[in-house]
C-alpha cells in the first residue's frame, strides 16, 4: 500500500498548499481599507467551500480505503521499516521544542503573557511526548508505558494549545482572523487522541487517519497568518508530524486479498 500512501499524502500536500494560498488571499482582503472593518468578501466564501470540498474528498478516499485491513497494534500500524521515520520524529520534536522556547521568550509581546507562556510550555511538553513515542525505552512493557505517557503528553499539549489560542482570540471581534486556527487545533487534538488509541488498546484506524490528514491540511492554512515565528513554527511542525503519521498509517494498510507477513508485523 505504499503507492496509495504516496498518492494520499501527495494529494493532501497539494490541497494544503492551495489552502495556504487561499488563506493568504483572504488575509489581504479580510479588512475594508476605508473603514477598517471586516469585509464579507467572496474570498471567505471560497475558503469555506474549499474546506468543505477537501473534507468530502478525504472522506471519499477513506471510504475507498475501508476495504483494506488495518493493523490494530501500534507496532504494526506504525512500522516504518526504515530509521528515517524515527529520525523524522526526533527532528519534529526538536522543532516543537524550539517553538515552545520561542513562545516563552515572545510572551511579553502578547496581550495575555501568562497564558502565552503556558502555551509555550505546553508545546515543550508536546515535544517531550513525541520523543517518548519515538524512543520507547527498555523492554516491550516499559516501551508501552513510555508511549502511553508520551501520547498523553501530546493530548495535554493539544488541550493547552486550544485553551491558550482561544484566550488570545476571545478579544478579537473578527471571526475570520482566528477561526481557521481554532479549527486546526481541534483537528490536531483529535488526531492526538485517536493516535493514543494504539497505545491504550482501543485503536480506530480510519478515524486516526482521517484526523491526521485533516489536521495536517488545516494546520498548513493558518501558518501564513500574522503571528509570531514561534507559533508559525508550531503549526508547521505539527502539520509535518501528521503528514508523516498519515503516510505510515496508509502504507501499513493491507489489501483485502493479502495477509501481513511475520516480518511486517514485527
Amino acid at each position: 500500500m505504499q503507492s496509495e500512501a504516496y498518492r494520499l499524502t501527495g494529494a493532501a500536500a497539494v490541497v494544503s498548499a492551495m489552502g495556504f494560498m487561499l488563506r493568504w488571499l483572504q488575509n489581504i482582503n479580510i479588512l475594508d481599507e476605508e473603514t477598517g472593518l471586516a469585509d464579507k468578501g467572496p474570498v471567505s466564501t471560497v475558503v469555506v467551500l474549499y474546506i468543505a470540498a477537501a473534507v468530502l474528498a478525504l472522506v471519499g478516499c477513506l471510504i475507498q480505503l475501508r476495504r483494506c485491513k488495518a493493523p490494530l497494534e501500534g507496532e504494526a500500524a506504525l512500522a516504518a521499516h526504515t530509521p528515517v521515520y524515527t529520525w523524522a520524529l526526533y527532528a519534529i520534536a526538536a522543532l516543537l521544542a524550539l517553538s515552545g522556547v520561542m513562545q516563552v521568550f515572545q510572551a511579553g509581546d502578547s496581550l495575555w503573557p501568562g497564558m502565552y507562556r503556558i502555551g509555550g510550555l505546553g508545546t515543550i511538553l508536546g515535544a517531550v511526548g513525541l520523543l517518548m513515542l519515538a524512543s520507547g525505552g527498555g523492554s516491550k512493557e516499559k516501551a508501552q508505558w513510555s508511549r502511553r505517557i508520551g501520547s498523553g503528553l501530546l493530548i495535554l499539549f493539544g488541550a493547552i494549545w486550544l485553551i491558550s489560542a482561544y484566550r488570545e482570540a476571545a478579544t478579537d471581534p473578527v471571526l475570520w482572523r482566528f477561526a481557521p486556527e481554532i479549527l486546526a487545533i481541534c483537528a490536531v487534538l483529535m488526531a492526538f487522541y485517536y493516535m493514543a488509541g494504539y497505545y491504550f488498546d482501543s485503536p480506530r484506524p480510519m478515524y486516526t487517519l482521517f484526523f491526521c490528514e485533516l489536521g495536517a491540511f488545516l494546520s498548513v492554512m493558518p501558518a501564513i497568518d500574522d503571528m509570531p515565528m514561534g507559533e508559525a513554527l508550531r503549526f508547521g511542525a505539527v502539520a509535518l508530524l501528521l503528514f508523516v503519521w498519515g503516510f505510515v498509517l496508509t502504507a501499513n494498510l493491507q489489501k483485502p486479498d493479502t495477509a501481513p507477513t511475520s516480518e511486517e508485523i514485527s
Side-chain angles (χ1 to χ4, degrees):
M1 295 292 290
Q2 197 166 33
S3 59
E4 285 81 359
Y6 279 114
R7 281 197 290 268
L8 179 59
T9 305
V14 171
V15 170
S16 300
M18 293 177 64
F20 183 87
M21 293 302 298
L22 278 176
R23 179 60 177 167
W24 173 73
L25 288 173
Q26 186 186 34
N27 283 339
I28 63 178
N29 291 282
I30 197 171
L31 296 178
D32 187 284
E33 294 183 358
E34 295 181 358
T35 64
L37 300 176
D39 184 18
K40 296 181 180 179
V43 178
S44 296
T45 303
V46 172
V47 170
V48 172
L49 294 176
Y50 184 77
I51 292 175
V55 172
L56 290 175
L58 177 58
V59 170
C61 290
L62 294 186
I63 288 175
Q64 294 295 320
L65 290 176
R66 286 190 66 184
R67 60 185 175 82
C68 302
K69 299 176 183 178
L72 299 181
E73 294 184 358
E75 293 291 336
L78 297 170
H81 310 293
T82 171
V84 174
Y85 171 68
T86 302
W87 285 110
L89 295 187
Y90 286 143
I92 295 170
L95 291 177
L96 279 177
L98 176 61
S99 169
V101 171
M102 292 174 68
Q103 291 169 60
V104 170
F105 282 101
Q106 293 170 346
D109 300 327
S110 172
L111 187 61
W112 305 98
M115 183 58 70
Y116 199 86
R117 287 191 182 92
I118 291 174
L121 293 174
T123 305
I124 295 173
L125 282 179
V128 173
L130 185 56
L131 282 175
M132 296 179 75
L133 287 185
S135 61
S139 64
K140 184 176 181 180
E141 183 178 353
K142 289 183 178 179
Q144 179 77 349
W145 276 105
S146 176
R147 288 167 180 158
R148 286 183 176 182
I149 296 172
S151 60
L153 288 177
L154 281 174
I155 293 173
L156 179 61
F157 155 52
I160 293 174
W161 186 10
L162 179 60
I163 294 170
S164 61
Y166 181 78
R167 189 73 177 89
E168 286 284 327
T171 57
D172 193 338
V174 183
L175 177 65
W176 268 116
R177 267 207 291 254
F178 63 85
E181 177 182 344
I182 299 298
L183 287 176
I185 299 170
C186 289
V188 169
L189 181 55
M190 292 302 296
F192 289 161
Y193 171 78
Y194 280 109
M195 183 60 71
Y198 282 107
Y199 306 111
F200 287 90
D201 303 322
S202 57
R204 302 293 295 273
M206 288 299 120
Y207 283 96
T208 307
L209 183 55
F210 173 80
F211 282 108
C212 281
E213 299 294 349
L214 179 63
F217 161 63
L218 291 176
S219 294
V220 170
M221 291 186 69
I224 191 62
D225 290 358
D226 183 17
M227 64 176 67
M229 182 60 70
E231 291 187 50
L233 181 60
R234 177 170 55 185
F235 273 110
V238 167
L240 183 58
L241 172 63
L242 297 185
F243 275 131
V244 170
W245 276 348
F247 178 87
V248 175
L249 288 171
T250 307
N252 285 313
L253 294 175
Q254 297 292 331
K255 294 182 178 180
D257 56 344
T258 62
T261 64
S262 58
E263 181 181 353
E264 290 173 329
I265 295 176
S266 61

